[in-house]
Amino acid sequence: MPSSACCDPSNNSIMITVHFIAGADVLMTNTYQASIGGFIKYLGLSKEASYELIKTAVSLAKLACSLYATEVGSTADARKILIAGAVGPYGTALHDCSEYTGSYVAHVSRKEIADWHRPRIQALVEAGVDILAFETIPAQSEGEALMDLLKEFPEQKAWLSFSCKDEFHTCYGEKFQSVARRCWEINPSQLVAVGVNCVSPKYVSPLLRGINADRSDNPFPLIASPNSGENYDIQKGWTDREKCCPVENYVPEWLTLGVTYIGGCCRTYAADIARIKEEVNKWTSERKKIKINGHT
C-alpha cells in the first residue's frame, strides 16, 4: 500500500517509519508537483540544479527505507519497501487549479505535455525509483501522452491513476472506463495497474466495476488510492470527516473487483494504513481458505 508521506529525514523520518510499521509497502517521493521549470522560476535554481533536486527526493526516500530497515533489523516487520516516483499532472505547474479539471488539455498539445514531463521522469528513473506513479491525471490526452512517453524508458514500470469528478467520469468529463482501457492498450507491457486516486472512496467501486467485463481471460490490474472522502472548503479546509465511511470498509469489495494496489491520498494517516492493511490480510486469508477447500 502506498504511503505519500514526505521524505525529508530531518523532519519526517519518524513519521515515515510509522507508516512502514503500519503496513505501507510503497513509499512515494515528494515530487508530485516538482518540475524543472518550477524550480528555475520559483527557487532561482539552474536547470542542472533543478534536475538534481528531483533526484535528491529519491535519495531521501532511499534513506528513509534504510532507516526503517536498520530499525526493524531481521524482525517479522522487515520487508522490501518499493520507492515510487510521484509524477503529478501538467496542471500543477499552472497554479490555476486546472489540475482538478484538466481544462488545459484543450489548448496544450500532447507534445508540450510530454516535453514538460520528460526531464522530471528522466531524473526519477536515473535516481533509481522502483516504479513511476503517474497520479491524479485528469484527462485522457495526458494519460495517453504519458503512456507514449513511458516507452522512452523501456525498462521502467509504472502505474497510472486518474482523478474523477464523480462515479463515471474523469475530471475532464470523459468516460473513465473507456479512458483507462485505452491507456492500458497503449502500453500494457510497462503498466502494472490503471485506476483512480484522490477521489471519494464511495466512487471507487462504481468507477472500477465491470471495467474488465470483456477481458475475463486477461484482466488488467487495478489501483485505488482514494482520499478520506471529506469535503474541502477553501475557507474552512477539510470538513465532515465524521460523516465519512472509513476507507477500510470498502477494501474487501475493491480487492474482489481486481484491485492489486491500494493506498491513500489526502487525509490518509498511519492509522488508516494499518486498518487497510488489516482488511487486506483478512481478505487474503479468506481467499486462501477457499482455495484450500477446493472452491473457486
Side-chain angles (χ1 to χ4, degrees), residues 69 74 85 92-94 96 98 120 152 171 187 208 217 238 277-278 280:
S74 58
T92 60
L94 302 178
D96 59 0
S98 59
R120 62 206 297 249
E152 296 180 16
C171 282
N187 198 340
L208 300 182
D217 294 333
W238 291 95
K277 183 74 170 185
E278 182 179 0
V280 170

Side-chain angles (χ1 to χ4, degrees), residues 174-185:
E174 304 135 323
K175 290 286 189 180
F176 163 73
Q177 293 200 1
S178 296
V179 172
R181 291 191 194 102
R182 171 57 183 157
C183 289
W184 176 266
E185 290 166 356

Side-chain angles (χ1 to χ4, degrees), residues 95-290:
H95 304 287
D96 59 0
C97 296
S98 59
E99 69 267 33
Y100 302 114
T101 65
S103 59
Y104 53 88
V105 301
H107 55 82
V108 180
S109 71
R110 281 177 53 173
K111 181 181 183 305
E112 290 176 283
I113 290 175
D115 289 345
W116 181 81
H117 278 294
R118 184 176 290 104
R120 62 206 297 249
I121 292 173
Q122 179 72 54
L124 291 169
V125 172
E126 281 187 8
V129 295
D130 296 299
I131 196 167
L132 291 169
F134 300 134
E135 56 174 356
T136 330
I137 305 304
Q140 178 171 338
S141 62
E142 185 163 16
E144 291 180 349
L146 287 167
M147 293 304 91
D148 285 332
L149 181 57
L150 184 59
K151 294 176 183 178
E152 296 180 16
F153 308 91
E155 302 303 314
Q156 190 66 55
K157 300 292 186 179
W159 72 62
L160 173 65
S161 58
F162 290 86
S163 54
C164 296
K165 63 181 181 179
D166 55 32
E167 62 266 62
F168 301 110
H169 304 92
T170 66
C171 282
Y172 192 55
E174 304 135 323
K175 290 286 189 180
F176 163 73
Q177 293 200 1
S178 296
V179 172
R181 291 191 194 102
R182 171 57 183 157
C183 289
W184 176 266
E185 290 166 356
I186 291 174
N187 198 340
S189 65
Q190 289 180 265
L191 279 179
V192 301
V194 181
V196 295
N197 79 290
C198 207
V199 300
S200 172
K202 67 183 180 182
Y203 291 155
V204 173
S205 291
L207 284 162
L208 300 182
R209 187 179 294 113
I211 196 169
N212 279 310
D214 57 347
R215 301 175 57 93
S216 58
D217 294 333
N218 187 30
F220 58 81
L222 305 172
I223 181 169
S225 189
N227 55 41
S228 65
E230 295 171 66
N231 295 311
Y232 185 78
D233 183 283
I234 195 168
Q235 299 296 331
K236 301 178 182 178
W238 291 95
T239 64
D240 300 327
R241 188 174 182 88
E242 70 282 357
K243 299 178 182 178
C244 299
C245 179
V247 173
E248 65 270 16
N249 288 13
Y250 298 92
V251 168
E253 182 176 17
W254 297 344
L255 293 170
T256 302
L257 289 173
V259 172
T260 55
Y261 288 82
I262 294 179
C265 202
C266 301
R267 307 285 283 178
T268 300
Y269 303 106
D272 300 302
I273 293 174
R275 290 191 291 267
I276 291 171
K277 183 74 170 185
E278 182 179 0
E279 290 300 320
V280 170
N281 289 341
K282 285 168 55 179
W283 185 89
T284 303
S285 177
E286 289 301 316
R287 296 289 289 215
K288 287 181 178 177
K289 289 179 182 177
I290 291 173

Side-chain angles (χ1 to χ4, degrees), residues 40-62:
I40 292 173
K41 181 175 181 179
Y42 297 104
L43 297 183
L45 299 179
S46 67
K47 181 178 180 180
E48 293 74 19
S50 299
Y51 190 83
E52 289 302 316
L53 185 55
I54 292 177
K55 293 175 70 174
T56 298
V58 182
S59 298
L60 294 176
K62 290 180 178 180

